[in-house]
Amino acid sequence: MDHFAVAERFVAAHYPRADVAIVAGSTARGDRTSTSDIDLLLLGDDLFDVDGQTSEASTHDFDGEIFEVFAYTSGGFDEWAVRGIAQHRPVTVHMLVDGIAIREDDRLGPLRQRWRSVLDAGPSLSAQESAFRRYVITDVLDDLEDVTDPVEQRVEASILFERIAELMLLTEGQWIGAGKWLPRRLRELSVERADRLTIPLLESDYTTFAARVSAELERAGGRVQAGFVR
């Protein structure tokens, strides 16, 4: 199936006033699976019928494909892009910059150039946020070392992996991700460091896992506990 042709028909049928339409995600990368949907970024100042509406996230079934649509006016896109940058997870910006355009106008090139420079600069981790993140990791690390119930161990270890992986990425000036994208981004940073965390985690070797987390925590600035004000 030509998923780009299906996407073009979808846009024509449901969002004919879109000025820009970009296919992103696994369809754009060429690594779709049997359950993949089509991620679609739409831009246009006349997209919506409701006055004042600037954004929409919606799911559609069209020609046997599931579409995950992220639609914005110019102002709406800027608002959500800035929000994603502030949260260190600029999903919509990655869609804009890395996706494949199936409809565009002369604004797309400069818009991509603007936001590509932001992505290339990487996230900015303030000293206060670093300290807060290390404080949370310190607390969860202590909890993991204390618990003995297998379910509690699994839960605490999962939380700890997410927190330490984010800190590792941000400390190195790399964007974070959610779900499957977090380990993927961690491997992009360093396969060796990712394996040192994930292997004991997958083997439920929580003693070794805790030691590896502690090592990464020290590398990022060390434990934060007594005296921390938040």
Side-chain angles (χ1 to χ4, degrees):
M1 179 182 294
D2 186 343
H3 294 93
F4 294 95
V6 176
E8 289 177 358
R9 293 197 299 272
F10 171 81
V11 174
H14 290 276
Y15 296 91
R17 290 177 290 181
D19 297 321
V20 172
I22 297 175
V23 174
S26 60
T27 304
R29 294 191 304 273
D31 57 7
R32 288 175 57 89
T33 68
S34 60
T35 60
S36 292
D37 52 30
I38 298 178
D39 295 321
L40 193 62
L41 174 65
L42 303 176
L43 303 175
D45 289 331
D46 296 320
L47 275 175
F48 308 115
D49 294 326
V50 179
D51 289 341
Q53 183 176 355
T54 61
S55 65
E56 175 185 282
S58 56
T59 305
H60 306 259
D61 188 341
F62 181 85
D63 276 6
E65 294 292 329
I66 298 296
F67 282 83
E68 292 291 345
V69 175
F70 302 86
Y72 305 94
T73 63
S74 297
F77 180 81
D78 282 352
E79 177 185 348
W80 282 92
V82 169
R83 186 179 304 183
I85 295 295
Q87 296 171 343
H88 313 309
R89 196 169 67 87
V91 177
T92 55
V93 179
H94 278 292
M95 293 178 72
L96 173 76
V97 172
D98 299 330
I100 296 176
I102 58 173
R103 180 184 291 190
E104 61 182 287
D105 60 17
D106 56 7
R107 291 173 293 181
L108 180 58
L111 191 63
R112 278 180 156 169
Q113 185 176 9
R114 169 192 170 190
W115 288 105
R116 166 58 73 185
S117 65
V118 174
L119 287 183
D120 289 346
S124 177
L125 183 65
S126 68
Q128 179 66 18
E129 183 181 354
S130 173
F132 177 72
R133 286 178 174 273
R134 287 183 285 124
Y135 170 82
V136 172
I137 292 168
T138 300
D139 185 56
V140 180
L141 185 59
D142 288 346
D143 285 344
L144 177 60
E145 293 176 339
D146 288 341
V147 298
T148 57
D149 180 88
V151 175
E152 293 179 5
Q153 286 179 323
R154 181 69 60 88
V155 171
E156 294 291 343
S158 297
I159 295 171
L160 194 54
F161 173 79
E162 181 177 0
R163 299 294 183 267
I164 193 65
E166 289 181 349
L167 182 62
M168 290 165 65
L169 288 163
L170 292 172
T171 300
E172 299 289 346
Q174 303 297 313
W175 301 106
I176 63 176
K180 63 188 178 184
W181 281 102
L182 185 58
R184 289 180 181 182
R185 295 204 185 284
L186 191 60
R187 292 189 191 104
E188 290 174 1
L189 173 67
S190 170
V191 173
E192 180 182 359
R193 292 171 69 186
D195 284 348
R196 284 180 61 80
L197 282 176
T198 56
I199 290 174
L201 178 63
L202 293 173
E203 293 176 348
S204 299
D205 181 357
Y206 299 121
T207 299
T208 300
F209 175 68
R212 302 277 171 80
V213 171
S214 293
E216 289 292 350
L217 182 59
E218 287 303 313
R219 182 170 183 164
R223 292 171 62 91
V224 174
Q225 203 162 37
F228 178 66
V229 178
R230 60 193 185 280

